[in-house]
Amino acid sequence: YGKMSQIIKLEEEKIGVHLKDQNILVTGAGGSIGSELCRQICRFKPEKIILLERAESPLHAIELELEQGYKKVQIVPILGDIQDKNHLNNTFEANRPHIVFHAAAYKHVPMLEMHPWKAIDNNVLGTKNLIDVSTKNNVARFVFVSTDKAVRPANVMGASKRLSEMLIQGQNGCGLSDTKFMIVRFGNVVGSVGSVVPLFKKQIQRGGPVTVTHPDVTRFFMTIPEACQLILQTGAMGKGGEIFILDMGTSIKIDDMARDLIRLSGFEPDVDIKIEYVGLRPGEKLYEELITEGENIVPTRHEKIMVLKGIECDLQLLNGKVDELAHLAGEQMGDQIKSKLKEIVPEYNAMR
């Protein structure tokens, strides 16, 4: 997509030093970000890559692809769920990962507004399980893939990712673990499952209408390979406790994007193919932000990456509240989950 293609320069040697000959575990390895992370990691010749994924067909697909493309890397598919702590423990003990890239998450905003307990079970408690198991098994580095929706979250999905960030940041702030935990936050990736570009293309093929939520809605975009390269770069740069923010360039108006795609397909917007404004969905914002005011942003030596300074230790309080959330999720009490999230993440501003 024309306005977005920026060439990203990587410090290949530095990344290589971290990944070469290591055992690396990727959660959500069958997803759009997870699978691309696996491809890119394999270029750096790790000893072994452990693909953790609970969806059987995508796991099978990425396993076959990597086995064909990277004969020298040991590919270990694990059909498993980050919510199953016992299985996680066994996986880590058997495979001894040095580095964990945690990309598994539920991410569809309207879906999680309807099933808030799933956001807790998967995004929050799953992340907590991984933190515990990684610490116990002396993982060296842990990179958590987060989202711009965690900034002043307007929805359950964003609040669950912000809470996961807080759990991760606390690990280094409290000096509880020798593992270096870090977070990478970025916006939408073009072409990921459920993203807007494939949807628009389908709508154009059908002859329209192309549905845009609101004429003024904007989003940050990056291609999947770009995002994954920067995740690997931050993994190599982090000292522990940071939130890295990818410079997504300028935010793009979805309306402009829809019109460009219609023209690129050889049609005239509003003449051959109508654009319909359908209204923001539950939990959607007009525009996303990558940082919260008051967070201390510092540039890094890489022009596309900024870093936030970490928070101090407050984990005891946090863990108690997460236990309460877990209980509410077990009972599937949606409204109480949202209230409890608001208590833990004060900047969470649920849209009604």
Side-chain angles (χ1 to χ4, degrees):
Y1 186 70
K3 293 173 189 155
M4 300 168 355
S5 51
Q6 319 147 353
I7 301 302
I8 289 180
K9 298 176 197 59
L10 290 187
E11 300 177 310
E12 301 261 345
E13 322 70 62
K14 284 210 172 63
I15 297 173
V17 169
H18 281 287
L19 301 179
K20 192 172 175 353
D21 301 331
Q22 301 291 298
N23 300 339
I24 296 165
L25 184 140
V26 179
T27 73
S32 29
I33 291 285
S35 60
E36 178 64 21
L37 262 177
C38 293
R39 290 179 197 105
Q40 304 236 8
I41 288 164
C42 285
R43 286 178 28 221
F44 291 99
K45 304 188 173 70
E47 174 71 26
K48 168 160 62 176
I49 187 164
I50 304 113
L51 315 171
L52 183 71
E53 172 58 64
R54 68 163 172 215
E56 184 193 27
S57 296
L59 176 62
H60 181 62
I62 189 67
E63 178 203 3
L64 287 183
E65 181 190 330
L66 295 176
E67 278 178 347
Q68 281 160 1
Y70 301 96
K71 302 279 189 228
K72 297 212 164 92
V73 180
Q74 193 185 337
I75 315 284
V76 183
I78 302 280
L79 184 63
D81 193 316
I82 58 174
Q83 294 173 48
D84 182 345
K85 196 167 182 182
N86 192 33
H87 187 211
L88 279 183
N89 250 322
N90 295 339
T91 299
F92 275 61
E93 280 171 15
N95 292 288
R96 294 275 161 228
H98 304 108
I99 304 177
V100 171
F101 289 95
H102 173 27
Y106 278 145
K107 61 180 187 180
H108 287 287
V109 168
M111 196 69 80
L112 294 181
E113 289 302 300
M114 287 161 56
H115 308 87
W117 47 90
K118 287 294 186 188
I120 303 306
D121 289 343
N122 197 51
N123 294 3
V124 179
L125 303 177
T127 299
K128 194 168 187 294
N129 287 341
L130 275 168
I131 291 171
D132 294 346
V133 172
S134 296
T135 296
K136 183 179 161 209
N137 287 277
N138 300 316
V139 165
R141 294 176 163 262
F142 185 115
V143 181
F144 175 56
V145 176
S146 192
T147 161
D148 58 3
K149 292 180 175 61
V151 180
R152 273 196 283 271
N155 47 59
V156 170
M157 185 279 217
S160 71
K161 293 291 275 192
R162 177 63 194 132
L163 176 48
S164 303
E165 287 187 354
M166 288 159 77
L167 286 169
I168 297 240
Q169 278 187 294
Q171 298 307 309
N172 291 105
C174 299
L176 291 181
S177 165
D178 294 333
T179 306
K180 292 187 165 87
F181 287 90
M182 56 210 84
I183 296 162
V184 187
R185 234 186 233 171
F186 53 93
N188 300 10
V189 287
V190 178
S192 74
V193 178
S195 89
V196 66
V197 176
L199 171 71
F200 285 169
K201 284 186 174 157
K202 272 198 195 114
Q203 292 177 332
I204 292 166
Q205 275 165 1
R206 282 202 299 261
V210 171
T211 55
V212 173
T213 49
H214 188 285
D216 297 327
V217 74
T218 66
R219 291 291 180 267
F220 291 102
F221 283 96
M222 188 175 259
T223 66
I224 298 174
E226 284 176 324
C228 291
Q229 287 164 10
L230 288 174
I231 292 169
L232 295 185
Q233 176 78 52
T234 52
M237 286 163 69
K239 308 223 175 346
E242 305 96 335
I243 299 186
F244 290 103
I245 296 171
L246 305 190
D247 173 3
M248 306 284 295
T250 50
S251 64
I252 290 172
K253 254 178 128 164
I254 301 293
D255 192 39
D256 292 348
M257 194 156 151
R259 288 169 190 280
D260 287 354
L261 278 169
I262 291 170
R263 286 192 194 98
L264 285 169
S265 311
F267 301 107
E268 191 51 43
D270 297 326
V271 180
D272 306 319
I273 300 218
K274 294 272 178 286
I275 290 186
E276 221 170 74
Y277 299 109
V278 294
L280 291 171
R281 299 176 305 178
E284 278 194 320
K285 292 196 215 178
L286 263 183
Y287 45 88
E288 301 294 350
E289 310 155 284
L290 283 164
I291 42 191
T292 301
E293 276 158 31
E295 291 180 313
N296 305 318
I297 303 284
V298 193
T300 67
R301 59 172 191 257
H302 193 286
E303 77 276 8
K304 286 274 172 233
I305 301 173
M306 295 157 295
V307 67
L308 293 181
K309 282 297 166 240
I311 48 171
E312 59 302 332
C313 174
D314 199 8
L315 266 186
Q316 230 169 345
L317 183 71
L318 201 51
N319 285 337
K321 289 187 172 169
V322 170
D323 293 342
E324 291 165 31
L325 260 182
H327 170 72
L328 294 173
E331 302 293 322
Q332 298 188 1
M333 299 169 88
D335 290 341
Q336 289 91 325
I337 288 170
K338 289 179 183 178
S339 304
K340 182 56 72 178
L341 274 172
K342 211 166 171 49
E343 195 184 305
I344 310 174
V345 182
E347 68 270 29
Y348 167 39
N349 182 15
M351 305 218 173
R352 278 283 163 259

